[in-house]
């Protein structure tokens, strides 16, 4: 990959002109544009269109943690008692069974992801209940990838046994930062040794691949502290790394007010940190994937990125080619070729609905042709930093023509020099890749149509 040299782009001018806060584009349109009316009937219609032959991905959301990290932007809550978690798993299992009954056939499952919250907080018994429910409802494709988000401080021998029973193939381990001062400022104590030992246990129990999450932009995070964390992460030899910029959105996540704004690095420091961490991972042999991931050359994510097969979904980047993602659990989002459905977010309300036999669909969105074309353009920008006009035309036919002209016009009027037309492609220049979300937002027809607030672009 070409070295990033962001110095040639005037970030202040770009952000002043296009807005400093833009979506992360894990979907298009983004979740704030989903609407509450007739979500239930839309869910039935979208599920009714499922093709029994086509494998789908499945996402399960576990909205519980045994401690609340102050930086956390996920849908989760802290619980000191386990009984609400066990009761939630009961509802989750009911939702899965009801979905299967309503379809009338067992759909093929090509990939499974357990996220949260902290799925590693589940007991072995509850992991087994979930596994059993999924195997009853779905026809697992042989070699299906099964990934689980893991907080190392949760992992016990019992968790490991449960994960083995689930036949997990990839663990996604939250690290964030190993420095004790940073950890104190985000309420996340976690030693390098503890993390290293959990990874060793997971690998020895037959797991094939490890992802580690690292954050920059955290309170009290100096360049030296982040560099030390990056070195320690490299020493853990994960197959993949996700390097996220801390999204500080205290208006949406009240517990983030525990983080003192004066402790946060400024935008210039964030950018420099991201670039330094990125070059350390690349020097250590990782390939840069999209805006914030890294993977070993032989990892499926790196292979997908090289072959144009990288995708973006609610978990970030994926090599998962499936067009349909079925989400179970509170706040989980399902993605179908024709639209999106988000489940009820408050856990208690979600449980009441499922336990009464109702479909817990809270909000939805039916995609228009305009959405599908713009969504495809935004996904390619986020994955490849480029839109191939011939690919777009191959996919959407004549309908693509005005969008190609739009892209050509946008590149021609880009006074900040972030983009260019190269042959039959709209390309984000390497030095402007840190502003990819801003460029993607040029193609977003919904950007100003809802009272949504997003995280900082850089
Ligand atoms: C559900 S957590 C991962 C699993 C587990 N709960 C843990 O923390 O280890 C998902 C990841 O989202 C990222 N994340 C959470 N809050 C964030 C925020 N405000 N900004 C950026 N990334 C965030 C963190 O890197 C975290 O590891
Ligand atoms: S970062 Fe992970 S462990 Fe921490 S509160 Fe969020 S979901 Fe829970």
């Amino acid at each position: 990959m070409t070295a990033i040299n962001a110095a040639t782009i005037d970030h202040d001018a770009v952000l002043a002109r296009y807005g400093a806060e833009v979506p992360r584009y894990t979907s298009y349109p983004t979740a704030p544009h989903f609407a509450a009316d007739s979500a239930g009937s839309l869910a039935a219609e979208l599920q009714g269109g499922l093709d029994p032959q086509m494998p789908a991905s499945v996402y399960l959301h576990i909205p519980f943690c045994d401690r609340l990290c102050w930086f956390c932007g996920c849908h989760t809550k802290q619980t000191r008692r386990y009984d609400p978690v066990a009761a939630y798993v009961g509802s989750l299992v009911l939702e899965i069974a009801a979905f299967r009954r309503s379809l009338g056939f067992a759909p093929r499952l090509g990939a499974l992801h357990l996220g949260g919250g902290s799925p590693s907080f589940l007991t072995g018994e509850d992991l087994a209940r979930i596994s059993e429910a999924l195997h009853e409802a779905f026809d697992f494709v042989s070699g299906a990838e099964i990934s689980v988000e893991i907080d190392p401080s949760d992992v016990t021998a019992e968790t490991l046994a449960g994960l083995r029973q689930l036949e997990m193939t990839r663990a996604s381990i939250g690290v964030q930062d190993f420095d004790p001062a940073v950890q104190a400022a985000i309420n996340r104590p976690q030693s390098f040794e503890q993390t290293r030992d959990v990874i060793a246990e997971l690998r020895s129990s037959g797991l094939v691949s490890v992802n580690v999450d690292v954050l920059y932009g955290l309170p009290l995070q100096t360049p030296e502290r982040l560099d030390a964390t990056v070195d320690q992460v490299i020493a853990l030899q994960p197959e993949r790394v996700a390097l996220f910029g801390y999204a500080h959105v205290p208006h949406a996540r009240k517990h983030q007010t525990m983080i003192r704004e004066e402790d946060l690095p400024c935008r210039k420091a964030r950018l420099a940190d991201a670039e330094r961490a990125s070059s350390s991972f690349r020097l250590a042999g990782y390939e840069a994937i999209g805006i914030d991931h890294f993977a070993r050359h032989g990892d499926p994510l790196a292979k997908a990125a090289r072959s144009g097969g990288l995708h973006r979904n609610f978990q970030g980047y994926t090599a998962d080619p499936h067009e349909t993602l079925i989400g179970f659990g509170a706040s989980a989002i399902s993605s179908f070729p024709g639209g999106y459905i988000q489940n009820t977010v408050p856990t208690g309300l979600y449980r009441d609905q499922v336990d009464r036999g109702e479909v817990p669909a809270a909000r939805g969105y039916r995609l228009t042709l305009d959405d599908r074309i713009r969504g495809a353009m935004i996904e390619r920008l986020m994955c490849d930093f480029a839109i191939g006009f011939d690919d777009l035309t191959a996919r959407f036919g004549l309908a693509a023509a005005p969008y190609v002209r739009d892209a050509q016009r946008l590149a021609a009027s880009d006074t900040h020099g972030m983009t260019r037309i190269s042959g039959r492609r709209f390309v984000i220049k390497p030095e402007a890749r840190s502003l990819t979300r801003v460029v993607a937002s040029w193609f977003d027809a919904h950007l100003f149509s809802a009272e949504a607030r997003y995280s900082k672009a850089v």
Side-chain angles (χ1 to χ4, degrees):
M1 177 186 153
T2 319
I4 297 172
N5 174 14
T8 53
I9 303 276
D10 184 348
H11 278 64
D12 290 332
V14 171
L15 298 176
R17 173 155 174 208
Y18 297 109
E21 294 177 1
V22 282
R24 292 180 60 238
Y25 292 115
T26 52
S27 70
Y28 178 78
T30 52
H33 301 282
F34 301 175
D37 37 313
S38 27
S41 55
L42 181 60
E45 180 193 319
L46 294 172
Q47 288 173 6
L50 279 181
D51 179 345
Q53 302 309 318
M54 291 293 283
S57 300
V58 171
Y59 173 76
L60 256 57
H61 192 72
I62 310 295
F64 298 100
C65 297
D66 50 5
R67 101 180 136 228
L68 196 57
C69 310
W70 292 332
F71 66 88
C72 185
C74 308
H75 283 298
T76 190
K77 63 179 174 194
Q78 182 182 25
T79 171
R80 295 195 194 284
R81 293 178 15 243
Y82 191 76
D83 34 320
V85 186
Y88 175 83
V89 172
S91 302
L92 198 56
V93 161
L94 282 180
E95 189 195 357
I96 295 168
F99 170 79
R100 164 69 181 84
R101 274 197 309 278
S102 73
L103 279 190
F105 63 90
R108 302 180 70 206
L109 182 151
L112 169 66
H113 186 85
L114 267 66
S118 294
S120 47
F121 184 34
L122 296 173
T123 58
E125 196 185 321
D126 279 339
L127 284 167
R129 278 165 84 193
I130 289 173
S131 175
E132 199 182 319
L134 287 170
H135 280 277
E136 272 173 23
F138 289 91
D139 173 15
F140 278 55
V141 168
S142 127
E145 178 176 296
I146 299 177
S147 51
V148 184
E149 291 175 13
I150 289 181
D151 172 357
S153 64
D154 293 333
V155 177
T156 61
E158 202 207 341
T159 328
L160 287 173
L163 293 173
R164 254 195 308 274
Q165 190 166 351
L166 199 67
E167 297 184 41
M168 176 175 70
T169 59
R170 173 169 295 114
S172 184
I173 312 273
V175 163
Q176 329 310 344
D177 190 299
F178 279 126
D179 186 86
V182 176
Q183 290 187 350
I186 58 173
N187 194 37
R188 188 178 171 109
Q190 175 181 333
S191 72
F192 172 77
E193 292 71 20
Q194 178 186 36
T195 311
R196 178 199 60 199
D197 293 349
V198 165
I199 290 178
E201 292 277 7
L202 290 168
R203 289 204 194 274
S204 71
S205 65
L207 173 76
V208 295
S209 180
V210 168
N211 171 83
V212 165
D213 290 343
V214 181
L215 290 183
Y216 65 87
L218 287 174
L220 302 183
Q221 201 177 38
T222 59
E224 296 71 25
R225 287 172 173 161
L226 178 60
D227 292 352
T229 292
V230 167
D231 288 345
Q232 285 172 300
V233 167
I234 290 169
L236 294 170
Q237 300 189 307
E239 280 76 9
R240 296 181 186 178
V241 176
L243 173 69
F244 298 127
Y246 165 48
H248 188 60
V249 285
H251 51 86
R253 295 283 182 270
K254 290 282 167 279
H255 53 265
Q256 290 187 350
T257 55
M258 298 297 287
I259 290 179
R260 289 158 30 117
E261 307 229 341
E262 57 270 37
D263 289 342
L264 292 172
C266 67
R267 192 181 56 71
K268 278 201 166 58
R270 280 173 67 103
L271 188 59
D273 283 349
E275 286 177 4
R276 253 191 2 273
S278 167
S279 63
S280 300
F281 286 122
R282 283 180 286 126
L283 270 174
Y286 290 89
E287 291 178 11
I289 312 290
I291 61 166
D292 52 17
H293 277 52
F294 300 85
R296 290 272 178 220
H297 184 78
D299 186 89
L301 203 63
K303 289 184 188 163
R306 288 196 298 273
S307 66
L310 188 66
H311 294 285
R312 192 147 169 88
N313 69 12
F314 302 102
Q315 279 76 59
Y317 289 103
T318 176
D320 181 347
H322 308 113
E323 262 202 290
T324 299
L325 172 74
I326 301 160
F328 295 108
S331 80
I333 299 179
S334 299
S335 164
F336 299 89
Y340 301 108
I341 295 292
Q342 180 170 32
N343 274 358
T344 300
V345 175
T347 310
L349 193 55
Y350 159 82
R351 284 206 51 220
D352 290 346
Q353 289 175 314
V354 174
D355 296 356
R356 281 200 300 267
E358 294 168 19
V359 175
R363 299 186 307 147
Y365 188 91
R366 187 197 302 278
L367 290 168
T368 63
L369 178 61
D370 178 74
D371 292 324
R372 292 200 295 119
I373 299 175
R374 289 177 185 279
M377 294 168 95
I378 288 175
E379 185 180 45
R380 286 346 301 157
L381 284 176
M382 296 297 292
C383 292
D384 307 334
F385 306 107
I387 302 165
F389 298 151
D390 292 340
D391 291 343
L392 203 67
T393 306
R395 198 160 153 196
F396 296 104
L398 284 180
Y403 298 86
V404 168
R405 282 197 294 276
D406 229 22
Q408 287 165 329
R409 185 184 53 75
L410 285 164
S413 60
D414 171 13
T415 48
H416 299 281
M418 295 187 280
T419 59
R420 66 188 156 89
I421 298 296
S422 168
R424 298 270 306 146
R425 280 155 51 93
F426 172 95
V427 178
I428 300 178
K429 294 180 189 170
E431 61 269 32
R433 287 182 177 180
S434 55
L435 291 159
T436 296
R437 287 165 55 194
V438 173
V439 176
S441 75
W442 296 351
F443 297 90
D444 182 346
H446 298 276
L447 192 60
F448 302 110
S449 67
E451 282 195 16
R453 291 184 65 183
Y454 305 106
S455 59
K456 296 226 176 335
V458 176

